[in-house]
Amino acid sequence: QSALTQPASVYGSPGQSITLSCTGTSNDVGGYNYVSWYQQHPGKAPKLMIYHVSNRPSGVSDRFSGSKSGNTASLTISGLQAEDEADYYCSSFFRSYKGSSTVYVFGTGTKVTVL
Amino acid sequence: QVQLQESGPGLVKPSGTLSLTCAVSGDSISSSNWWSWVRQPPGKGLEWIGEIELSGRSNHNPSLRSRVIISVDTSNNQFSLTLISVTAADTALYYCARAKTPFAPADFWGQGTRVAVSS
């Protein structure tokens, strides 16, 4: 299994909406509704922002929303704020063909910069 | 509030054994949750190492499986990671975390502990 593919950088201005992508395969993103998104500020532990494609944990702003189409999942941040500047990682359940291997995989990560 | 705290040596010699412990508070290690380890090499992304639950059922990343042991210590409400035959590639920030089900996203994380593999 390989890491899910994310763009290295995404930029946006305050108040704008940005969308981060996460591309996998039919063995992970495309095959299961188990995509999650984490936010990680420098020197901090990851924070769960979205689980099961589009669900927000309690306490997470509704400016964050998730979706999926085929083998690509997306995280949209609306009304971009300075505090949203961080690294974002997607993740998914992965099961190989015939189920010989099951693992939890992360994406390569996207650095969001608020201009 | 659930809290997790990693502890262990910050330096391990090549070919040696890395041993970390995660102390859990605000939740019982005997609950139905799964307890996991994730690492992050310097300047790089996250890598799932593996997880365990009370009965001892565990799952591991195939890329590390033969070198990883994850165990639960119910008497001290903690769980541990042992990684054998370490190399410089195992230098990373190691996080422990809690998930509700296997292969699931972690909702609570420790602060992380840095481990360097060097002679």
Side-chain angles (χ1 to χ4, degrees):
Chain A
Q1 69 291 342
S2 301
L4 307 175
T5 301
Q6 298 182 245
S9 303
V10 172
Y11 302 87
S13 298
Q16 282 187 331
S17 291
I18 60 172
T19 297
L20 285 59
S21 63
C22 170
T23 301
T25 69
S26 58
N27 291 330
D28 39 58
V29 174
Y32 308 93
N33 288 325
Y34 292 144
V35 177
S36 299
W37 290 88
Y38 295 90
Q39 176 192 66
Q40 186 180 35
H41 285 110
K44 299 293 186 181
K47 175 186 177 183
L48 182 63
M49 306 300 283
I50 295 287
Y51 66 97
H52 292 178
V53 177
S54 59
N55 293 276
R56 279 187 307 276
S58 174
V60 172
S61 171
D62 60 4
R63 297 187 298 106
F64 292 84
S65 62
S67 62
K68 189 186 83 167
S69 178
N71 294 337
T72 298
S74 299
L75 174 71
T76 297
I77 308 175
S78 305
L80 196 63
Q81 300 179 1
E83 66 200 49
D84 300 331
E85 185 163 295
D87 293 326
Y88 291 82
Y89 293 92
C90 62
S91 66
S92 175
F93 172 89
F94 169 92
R95 175 160 286 167
S96 63
Y97 180 64
K98 293 185 179 180
S100 60
S101 175
T102 304
V103 70
Y104 190 72
V105 292
F106 287 98
T108 52
T110 296
K111 180 174 180 58
V112 169
T113 300
V114 181
L115 301 172
Chain B
Q1 177 76 343
V2 178
Q3 293 185 322
L4 299 93
Q5 180 65 60
E6 305 89 348
S7 61
L11 181 66
V12 181
K13 295 185 184 302
S15 77
T17 298
L18 181 160
S19 296
L20 298 175
T21 297
C22 180
V24 179
S25 59
D27 191 7
S28 171
I29 202 79
S30 302
S31 65
S32 59
N33 295 311
W34 285 71
W35 308 96
S36 59
W37 290 96
V38 175
R39 69 181 183 180
Q40 186 170 32
K44 296 187 178 181
L46 302 167
E47 180 183 29
W48 182 78
I49 299 172
E51 61 187 358
I52 193 169
E53 54 89 53
L54 172 64
S55 72
R57 288 186 298 164
S58 63
N59 301 303
H60 302 86
N61 191 322
S63 67
L64 299 169
R65 179 174 290 151
S66 62
R67 299 196 294 128
V68 170
I69 301 172
I70 300 176
S71 59
V72 171
D73 178 1
T74 56
S75 60
N76 291 301
N77 212 45
Q78 63 187 28
F79 62 107
S80 300
L81 169 69
T82 300
L83 183 64
I84 65 173
S85 303
V86 297
T87 69
D90 294 310
T91 293
L93 183 59
Y94 284 77
Y95 292 102
C96 61
R98 186 194 82 168
K100 291 288 191 181
T101 56
F103 303 109
D107 53 1
F108 288 97
W109 294 66
Q111 299 174 344
T113 186
R114 296 191 182 280
V115 179
V117 177
S118 175
S119 54

